[in-house]
Amino acid sequence: FIFMLCLAPLGAAQAERIKDLASVAGVRDNQLLGYGLVVGLDGTGDKTNQTPFTIQSLKSMLAQYGVTIPPNLNPQVKNVAAVAIHATLPPFSKPGQSIDVTVSSLGNSQSLRGGTLLMSPLKGADGQVYAVAQGNLVVGGLGVEGNDGSRVVINVPSVGRIPNGATVERTVPSAFNSTEKLVLNLHSPDFTTAQRLENAINKKLGSQEAKALDAVSVMVNAPKDSSQRVGF
């Protein structure tokens, strides 16, 4: 009886979903990057005498709203920090949708806790603006400093997140509905898996519907109508 139980799993047929083995070529995330200012910090902002780009950015922002600061005057603010902003834009994202953003200090700010990110554009690799970020930061780290110079830091207080902190402004062009054929790229290159994927699709749809191109890609004929293609 124990021997039969050991042999039972060997005879069971194993199958994997195509979506677990491969992804559609061109349907991918896109990385966005931006630069901005976090304000409202409790004295933990950049030291302006060591980070001149923070003051330069502050002056440029204020100039857009009609506030002119003399060139020879550098405000000694302690509640502003220059930050880098990055986010991931999912495929097929449409204008008006929201995505999460991560904000990281660029200068010597000790903590971004309690800060607010001012409106900052997020650009893709092509230099186009695809989202605009703004909002209150959620910081998981904590830093405490004593009068004697001692300091205790938990996690990283110079990095924060803004859930749904960016609004999508532009759609990333996709060839999903413009090509006659779809290409499935395996997550792990393997000639045997590519051949089996071709055979499984042709067995289901027809003998000439799929063609393995190499150890990664399998090309499949797809309906031209967008709604039929989604179902396909």
Side-chain angles (χ1 to χ4, degrees):
F1 177 73
I2 295 177
F3 178 73
M4 294 300 295
L5 287 179
C6 294
L7 291 181
L10 300 179
Q14 296 184 0
E16 296 287 344
R17 300 181 302 175
I18 292 179
K19 66 187 299 183
D20 295 331
L21 297 175
S23 59
V24 180
V27 179
R28 63 179 183 84
D29 295 336
N30 289 273
Q31 308 303 317
L32 303 180
L33 180 64
Y35 171 83
L37 292 175
V38 170
V39 299
L41 300 175
D42 187 17
T44 59
D46 291 338
K47 295 180 176 60
T48 53
N49 57 341
Q50 300 176 4
T51 54
F53 53 87
T54 303
I55 290 300
Q56 181 181 357
S57 302
L58 181 61
K59 288 183 176 181
S60 299
M61 184 205 68
L62 293 177
Q64 297 178 12
Y65 294 94
V67 180
T68 303
I69 298 178
N72 58 346
L73 178 62
N74 290 326
Q76 299 299 314
V77 293
K78 297 182 179 181
N79 59 347
V80 180
V83 294
I85 312 153
H86 64 273
T88 299
L89 185 65
F92 306 117
S93 295
K94 299 299 188 294
Q97 292 183 309
S98 298
I99 56 177
D100 298 342
V101 298
T102 301
V103 180
S104 305
S105 174
L106 283 175
N108 49 19
S109 173
Q110 297 180 1
S111 175
L112 299 179
R113 179 178 293 274
T116 300
L117 175 69
L118 300 181
M119 184 174 60
S120 307
L122 301 179
K123 298 181 179 181
D126 57 357
Q128 300 292 328
V129 176
Y130 286 92
V132 175
Q134 181 172 276
N136 298 326
L137 272 70
V138 178
V139 179
L142 176 65
V144 179
E145 185 173 352
N147 294 329
D148 58 352
S150 61
R151 187 183 181 195
V152 176
V153 178
I154 301 176
N155 296 329
V156 184
S158 58
V159 178
R161 289 180 57 82
I162 307 178
N164 297 323
T167 302
V168 179
E169 300 290 343
R170 185 193 301 265
T171 301
V172 177
S174 174
F176 178 75
N177 289 324
S178 60
T179 58
E180 295 183 0
K181 302 178 183 295
L182 293 179
V183 177
L184 303 176
N185 291 328
L186 295 176
H187 300 317
S188 300
D190 184 79
F191 285 105
T192 302
T193 304
Q195 185 64 54
R196 289 177 177 174
L197 182 57
E198 174 190 340
N199 295 338
I201 295 176
N202 287 333
K203 182 178 179 181
K204 179 70 176 179
L205 302 179
S207 60
Q208 302 298 324
E209 294 300 318
K211 178 181 179 181
L213 303 179
D214 48 39
V216 174
S217 302
V218 177
M219 185 170 60
V220 187
N221 294 325
K224 294 183 179 180
D225 182 74
S226 59
S227 61
Q228 295 179 1
R229 178 166 293 202
V230 170
F232 171 82

